[in-house]
């Protein structure tokens, strides 16, 4: 019997977490289990493996390795300590497939001639960017790259055969059993409320059209709720990822109102030109009528009048017009919903990992 390979996925995030990054990590490690690896997730800290698996609806057996004994705030110093501890741990392991979301760890592993794959989702800032530029070419034989968007090749000045560009994805099994429950005519949004995610636009639409109802799910700690208080906007706070399929099953309409600049937790980090939104794949898998900003970053996935309606961000009346049209046009609604699910079938975590395997393992 052929011995299973160990799949190690490295993340700098304490888990569970409210970040989209943590969903990506959870579903990648789940996919590795589906691909018949011994699945190992390495993180700074995890309080409970069973709670973690439940939080993200992870099926199958995974090992979670906490590098630190308690939850810590990750800064550059702890990133280096984290990387060194992982190096010492992995030096003793054989027959490994290693994917990292930690740039410092990936560089240190590569400098010690341990082959690994580094996944990058945005441009690099600060000290990590300086280090990357200084030593990247010297370790090129030991490091491979997964980029979330093709634009990152130019931004990071990367070229060569050791690069693959892959969007985020979805586990269809999470959504299949929930697809026939829809009954709510409100428009749903699930995600964060950082600058550029579109809360201001939703508020402007809702103010003009009190008959449009918006249900918004996400962490509200970084916004002043009273600024967006309207009778037709409901905030429900952050929800665990395992609840998202059931929530989306209640709706037919979902909104992605991105601005020209889109920030994540780092307020100075604009991802508008490099993002592959996780919520987009959840919306697609749940068969939503997707109303989204018309932006080039995801036009290879979202097609206007095929699996979504795309609207220029700053044209509030066009958003209102689009919502009116799609709510009244039942054949269009059915077409968009069916094509959304067809599109989701092309972007699964299992197929994503299979492409990584063919390229690097």
């Amino acid at each position: 019997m052929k011995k299973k390979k160990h799949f190690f996925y490295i993340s700098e995030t304490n888990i569970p977490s409210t970040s989209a990054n943590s969903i990506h990590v959870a579903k990648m490690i789940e996919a590795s289990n589906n691909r018949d690896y011994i699945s190992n997730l390495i993180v700074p800290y995890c309080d409970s493996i069973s709670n973690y698996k439940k939080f993200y609806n992870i099926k199958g057996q995974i090992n979670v390795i906490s590098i630190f004994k308690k939850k810590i705030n990750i800064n550059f110093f702890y990133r280096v300590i984290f990387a060194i501890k992982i190096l010492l741990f992995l030096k003793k392991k054989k027959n490994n497939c290693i994917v990292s979301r930690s740039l410092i760890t990936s560089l240190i592993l590569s400098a010690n001639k341990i082959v690994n794959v580094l996944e990058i989702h945005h441009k690099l800032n600060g000290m990590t960017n300086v280090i990357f530029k200084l030593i990247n070419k010297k370790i090129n034989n030991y490091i491979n790259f997964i980029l979330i968007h093709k634009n990152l090749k130019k931004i990071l000045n990367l070229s060569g055969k050791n690069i693959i560009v892959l969007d985020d994805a979805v586990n269809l099994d999470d959504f299949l059993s929930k697809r026939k429950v829809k009954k709510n005519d409100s428009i749903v949004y699930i995600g964060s409320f950082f600058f550029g995610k579109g809360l201001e636009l939703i508020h402007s639409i809702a103010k003009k059209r009190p008959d449009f109802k918006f249900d918004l799910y996400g962490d509200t700690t970084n916004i002043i709720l009273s600024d967006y208080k309207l009778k037709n906007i409901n905030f429900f706070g952050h929800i665990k990822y395992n609840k998202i399929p059931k929530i989306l099953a209640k709706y037919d309409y979902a909104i992605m109102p991105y601005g020209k600049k889109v920030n994540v937790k780092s307020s100075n980090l604009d991802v508008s030109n490099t993002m592959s939104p996780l919520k987009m794949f959840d919306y697609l898998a749940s068969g939503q009528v997707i109303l989204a900003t018309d932006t080039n970053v995801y036009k290879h996935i979202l097609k206007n009048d095929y699996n979504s309606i795309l609207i220029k961000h700053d044209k509030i009346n066009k958003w209102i017009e689009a919502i009116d049209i799609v709510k009244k046009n039942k054949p269009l609604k059915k077409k968009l919903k069916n094509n959304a699910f067809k599109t989701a079938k092309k972007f699964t975590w299992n197929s994503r990992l299979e492409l990584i395997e063919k390229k690097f393992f």
Side-chain angles (χ1 to χ4, degrees), residues 220-281:
T220 59
T221 54
N222 65 308
I223 61 172
I224 301 171
L225 283 176
S226 58
D227 289 349
Y228 304 98
K229 190 174 182 181
L230 291 172
K231 288 184 178 180
N232 54 333
I233 295 182
N234 298 307
F235 288 94
F236 293 93
H238 178 262
I239 49 170
K240 295 178 180 179
Y241 185 75
N242 64 345
K243 305 294 185 186
I244 287 177
K246 189 174 181 179
I247 287 170
L248 285 177
K250 298 177 182 179
Y251 299 89
D252 281 322
Y253 309 95
I255 193 165
M256 285 172 45
Y258 290 110
K260 288 184 178 179
K261 290 186 177 181
V262 181
N263 286 1
V264 287
K265 280 192 174 182
S266 299
S267 59
N268 62 341
L269 184 59
D270 176 18
V271 298
S272 60
N273 199 36
T274 60
M275 63 182 178
S276 179
L278 267 167
K279 72 164 65 68
M280 175 174 67
F281 298 99

Side-chain angles (χ1 to χ4, degrees), residues 80-97:
V80 174
I81 300 299
F82 180 69
I84 292 171
K85 284 178 175 285
I86 291 173
L87 169 65
L88 296 175
F89 174 75
L90 290 179
K91 264 190 170 183
K92 302 172 185 177
K93 304 292 181 181
K94 303 294 181 184
N95 202 30
N96 300 329
C97 301

Side-chain angles (χ1 to χ4, degrees), residues 86-266:
I86 291 173
L87 169 65
L88 296 175
F89 174 75
L90 290 179
K91 264 190 170 183
K92 302 172 185 177
K93 304 292 181 181
K94 303 294 181 184
N95 202 30
N96 300 329
C97 301
I98 303 169
V99 179
S100 174
R101 288 294 301 273
S102 166
L103 184 140
I104 298 297
T105 303
S106 186
L107 294 179
I108 286 178
L109 291 176
S110 304
N112 285 272
K113 300 182 179 180
I114 297 177
V115 176
N116 67 93
V117 182
L118 172 63
E119 177 148 359
I120 302 178
H121 286 202
H122 50 72
K123 67 180 181 179
L124 305 177
N125 286 333
M127 187 60 71
T128 52
N129 187 39
V130 173
I131 295 171
F132 181 76
K133 286 181 178 179
L134 286 174
I135 70 173
N136 177 38
K137 291 184 179 180
K138 295 179 182 178
I139 56 166
N140 204 42
N141 292 333
Y142 298 96
I143 190 166
N144 302 300
F145 295 93
I146 304 168
L147 304 181
I148 199 72
H149 199 277
K150 64 180 182 180
N151 290 343
L152 282 167
K153 282 187 179 182
K154 185 176 181 181
I155 292 169
L156 299 172
N157 193 27
L158 289 174
S159 61
K161 295 180 180 179
N162 63 332
I163 300 169
I164 188 170
V165 177
L166 294 172
D167 280 281
D168 268 325
V170 70
N171 184 347
L172 293 177
D173 290 342
D174 289 342
F175 292 85
L176 283 173
S177 62
K178 309 289 194 290
R179 291 187 69 227
K180 297 181 179 179
V181 199
K182 298 183 175 67
K183 56 183 180 293
N184 194 327
D185 200 43
S186 298
I187 300 166
V188 67
Y189 172 90
I190 294 181
S192 65
F193 298 110
F194 296 111
F195 177 80
K197 295 297 183 82
L199 180 56
E200 295 81 4
L201 177 61
I202 290 172
H203 183 261
S204 296
I205 297 170
K207 196 172 182 181
K208 276 197 167 188
R209 288 294 296 268
D211 55 316
F212 291 170
K213 292 182 174 60
F214 294 88
D215 289 350
L216 314 182
Y217 296 82
D219 185 357
T220 59
T221 54
N222 65 308
I223 61 172
I224 301 171
L225 283 176
S226 58
D227 289 349
Y228 304 98
K229 190 174 182 181
L230 291 172
K231 288 184 178 180
N232 54 333
I233 295 182
N234 298 307
F235 288 94
F236 293 93
H238 178 262
I239 49 170
K240 295 178 180 179
Y241 185 75
N242 64 345
K243 305 294 185 186
I244 287 177
K246 189 174 181 179
I247 287 170
L248 285 177
K250 298 177 182 179
Y251 299 89
D252 281 322
Y253 309 95
I255 193 165
M256 285 172 45
Y258 290 110
K260 288 184 178 179
K261 290 186 177 181
V262 181
N263 286 1
V264 287
K265 280 192 174 182
S266 299

